[in-house]
Amino acid sequence: RKLVAAPNSSYRVMDKPTAYKDATTYNNFYEFGTDKSDPAQYAGAMKTSPWTVAVEGEIKKPLTLDLDALRKLAPLEERIYRLRCVEGWSMVIPWIGYSLSNLIRKVEPTGNAKYIEFTTLADRKQMPGVGSPVLEWPYVEGLRLDEANHPLALLTLGMYGEVLPNQNGAPVRVVVPWKYGFKSAKSIVRIRFTKDQPRTAWNISAPREYGFYANVNPEVDHPRWSQASERRIGEDGFFTRKRKTLMFNGYSDVASLYTGMDLKKFF
Amino acid sequence: MTFMVNPTSKHIAAIKAALFLAALLPAVRLFLFALTDRLGANPIEFITRSSGDWTLYFLIFTLLVTPLRRLSKWNWLIKLRRMLGLFAFFYASLHFTTFLWFDHFFDIDEMIRDVVKRPFITVGFSAFLLLIPLAITSTNGMVRRLGGRRWQWLHRAIYVIAPLGILHFWWMKAGKHDFAQPILFGTIVALLLLSRVYWNLAQARVQKRAASPTPT
């Protein structure tokens, strides 16, 4: 269960990491149900080994990776990232993985590749929430290729010094810390490079509420609540005011990806 | 079973005491969970959800009294209605307090902006405001002061409050397309309100028949 990784000090926020118990019992993973406690309760049954990820689409070298290949693709690093959920809460998590760009480089995208699409496992037998009308299944998320190539975008295999717990997206997920949590697809079975913008699960479900970009932005409210502040799980309790949400969740060096874009329109 | 049809005042007092304790349980549970750190990773959300749920439950229980009384002929059930309504107000107050305290930290300006800007909160807040006069006029003295007819007219506000509560809940769940519960609660409230329409129509028919001269 342990996963050895060298801390990467350039990707390490100074906030206090969230308690392991909170990070593993308060999850959104609708394949297992819509309650925050459902994933911890039901994800144990998901079989995460053997596991393969098909990498396909607009690339010169399509391939299928098993877990061993994924772990050896690049040196594992530990990075401590803030995680901001679109619902208005946040955590700080020590993830283990490597920049997604390592994988992208290896498969050599063609000139047509503009986007990257992640597909989550959707197996009704192992996942009691699949089939519920809440979302279209399987869960699909996506990034623009330049976003995916940003060194912060992490292909993730572990957290807190261990392999990923099932409820946190085992055995492999992405973590995109400047975007709301739902952009970080879990339990990925397929990575596809595309010419067109992927149709993503939450955007299909409620296009007015969840945009394709979903960058953390305190100035763009969710229709039903403000995004200007957030509650840090385990810290912001009964007697403290919620903390201010930072633009791009504090990862300001991604701003150059969006030069000239109206982020109110492309929310 | 006879005491169910026609219970003595002693029985009713016992039933009321038991109901009071039972109705308090959800609040006691929250309090104990808070003391023993069992409200989960996001305790404030837990309390907000729970108090909101129990407000809806008690609104439904309150609306259930009259149809149940008509069906069962247990007229004494009416004596429980005030308590059920006041518990709806109690849980609504708890719900509103979590919103004002934990969401806005008593920043009234900010809270008002939220109420004005977001229909889902506007609706919930209106329902809460409408509950206040009902709670204030729930005493025997107030019934007397207002007179039965006016009092009854005022308290029909619950026919507006309950649907507003359902709408608030509906919009809260809307973003996630998670309509199972709002549909269930909405259907129950709709049935409870429709039963009143049906009853009033039926009664009007009876009265009309009684009033019109019958040919012999």
Side-chain angles (χ1 to χ4, degrees):
Chain A
R1 314 258 328 141
K2 284 244 176 305
L3 194 60
V4 181
N8 183 334
S9 53
S10 4
Y11 300 101
R12 188 180 200 86
V13 294
M14 284 304 130
D15 309 26
K16 185 172 138 232
T18 302
Y20 178 83
K21 184 169 181 284
D22 287 344
T24 55
T25 56
Y26 190 77
N27 308 103
N28 282 322
F29 197 163
Y30 278 28
E31 281 79 349
F32 296 103
T34 54
D35 258 25
K36 294 283 191 298
S37 55
D38 286 337
Q41 200 172 343
Y42 301 114
M46 178 170 67
K47 206 166 159 231
T48 56
S49 169
W51 189 280
T52 54
V53 180
V55 189
E56 55 188 49
E58 297 288 351
I59 49 177
K60 295 197 187 93
K61 295 184 172 166
L63 51 86
T64 300
L65 294 160
D66 62 15
L67 277 184
D68 200 45
L70 276 168
R71 269 180 206 157
K72 288 181 179 147
L73 199 139
L76 295 177
E77 306 168 9
E78 182 179 72
R79 300 183 181 185
I80 305 181
Y81 281 170
R82 279 183 288 266
L83 164 73
R84 170 63 156 79
C85 179
V86 73
E87 296 168 339
W89 52 267
S90 61
M91 295 187 181
V92 178
I93 313 243
W95 301 108
I96 295 170
Y98 46 78
S99 290
L100 180 59
S101 58
N102 290 297
L103 172 68
I104 297 173
R105 208 177 310 123
K106 191 179 161 81
V107 297
E108 299 180 24
T110 69
N112 282 333
K114 294 286 182 294
Y115 295 90
I116 181 168
E117 176 192 272
F118 308 98
T119 305
T120 298
L121 178 71
D123 180 0
R124 225 176 251 245
K125 273 178 279 173
Q126 307 186 64
M127 302 168 130
V130 173
S132 92
V134 178
L135 289 172
E136 250 180 46
W137 310 101
Y139 189 92
V140 170
E141 256 311 335
L143 299 168
R144 227 167 49 192
L145 192 59
D146 59 335
E147 296 178 315
N149 262 319
H150 193 279
L152 276 167
L154 192 71
L155 195 77
T156 307
L157 298 156
M159 62 191 243
Y160 295 87
E162 297 177 1
V163 299
L164 283 172
N166 287 1
Q167 62 269 39
N168 295 84
V172 57
R173 64 174 296 172
V174 284
V175 173
V176 192
W178 70 93
K179 291 174 181 282
Y180 293 121
F182 69 89
K183 290 300 289 180
S184 299
K186 293 170 170 169
S187 304
I188 293 170
V189 291
R190 189 167 67 237
I191 298 177
R192 204 159 65 89
F193 291 73
T194 64
K195 210 162 69 174
D196 302 315
Q197 183 174 301
R199 294 180 71 242
T200 54
W202 278 111
N203 187 236
I204 294 169
S205 168
R208 228 170 52 85
E209 305 199 358
Y210 309 102
F212 174 79
Y213 284 93
N215 291 314
V216 175
N217 188 341
E219 284 154 35
V220 178
D221 285 353
H222 185 277
R224 282 176 293 128
W225 57 83
S226 157
Q227 295 290 27
S229 62
E230 67 199 46
R231 178 169 292 129
R232 180 66 50 82
I233 297 296
E235 286 188 56
D236 301 344
F238 293 101
F239 306 107
T240 41
R241 191 179 259 283
K242 291 197 283 185
R243 69 187 63 200
K244 293 248 174 289
T245 288
L246 306 170
M247 187 63 202
F248 298 121
N249 204 17
Y251 297 97
S252 48
D253 54 331
V254 300
S256 58
L257 292 171
Y258 308 104
T259 323
M261 268 176 81
D262 179 356
L263 294 179
K264 284 199 165 69
K265 189 169 166 224
F266 298 98
F267 62 90
Chain B
M1 277 304 276
T2 52
F3 88 96
M4 290 300 279
V5 181
N6 207 358
T8 64
S9 58
K10 231 186 191 165
H11 284 140
I12 288 177
I15 291 169
K16 273 187 167 176
L19 182 66
F20 180 84
L21 292 175
L24 214 51
L25 278 182
V28 172
R29 170 173 166 267
L30 285 178
F31 185 69
L32 288 180
F33 274 21
L35 287 183
T36 53
D37 201 21
R38 280 194 293 167
L39 291 174
N42 197 344
I44 290 154
E45 182 191 64
F46 191 107
I47 297 174
T48 311
R49 295 272 161 93
S50 175
S51 55
D53 285 348
W54 281 100
T55 305
L56 283 178
Y57 298 151
F58 276 99
L59 285 172
I60 287 173
F61 295 156
T62 310
L63 282 172
L64 198 57
V65 168
T66 297
L68 210 59
R69 185 169 60 89
R70 283 179 184 145
L71 287 174
S72 67
K73 311 267 193 275
W74 299 350
N75 282 320
W76 58 271
L77 284 175
I78 196 77
K79 296 188 173 154
L80 307 178
R81 192 171 62 179
R82 167 165 50 195
M83 194 196 293
L84 293 170
L86 281 172
F87 267 108
F89 179 68
F90 171 70
Y91 284 107
S93 307
L94 190 58
H95 189 65
F96 174 73
T97 306
T98 56
F99 169 68
L100 178 60
W101 182 355
F102 307 133
D103 248 35
H104 293 299
F105 221 69
F106 301 109
D107 187 332
I108 305 284
D109 279 358
E110 195 188 283
M111 185 206 80
I112 291 171
R113 267 198 303 265
D114 223 15
V115 168
V116 172
K117 199 168 163 189
R118 297 171 214 289
F120 126 84
I121 296 178
T122 318
V123 163
F125 185 70
S126 315
F128 176 64
L129 286 187
L130 284 171
L131 270 175
I132 294 172
L134 307 205
I136 291 172
T137 58
S138 67
T139 61
N140 290 336
M142 284 307 272
V143 180
R144 231 176 298 118
R145 223 168 301 168
L146 280 170
R149 202 169 263 279
R150 247 182 304 172
W151 183 89
Q152 204 172 24
W153 184 86
L154 175 65
H155 280 248
R156 286 198 179 121
I158 192 173
Y159 302 153
V160 177
I161 293 166
L164 287 176
I166 297 290
L167 187 61
H168 173 66
F169 188 47
W170 188 284
W171 277 344
M172 198 270 282
K173 294 276 191 181
K176 300 215 154 177
H177 287 236
D178 194 3
F179 291 119
Q181 281 183 339
I183 287 174
L184 176 68
F185 291 178
T187 309
I188 293 174
V189 167
L191 287 175
L192 290 173
L193 296 185
L194 283 172
S195 79
R196 288 164 163 83
V197 176
Y198 170 80
W199 183 260
N200 283 351
L201 287 176
Q203 211 162 17
R205 223 172 16 238
V206 169
Q207 276 165 7
K208 206 172 148 200
R209 209 176 300 149
S212 61
T214 41
T216 46

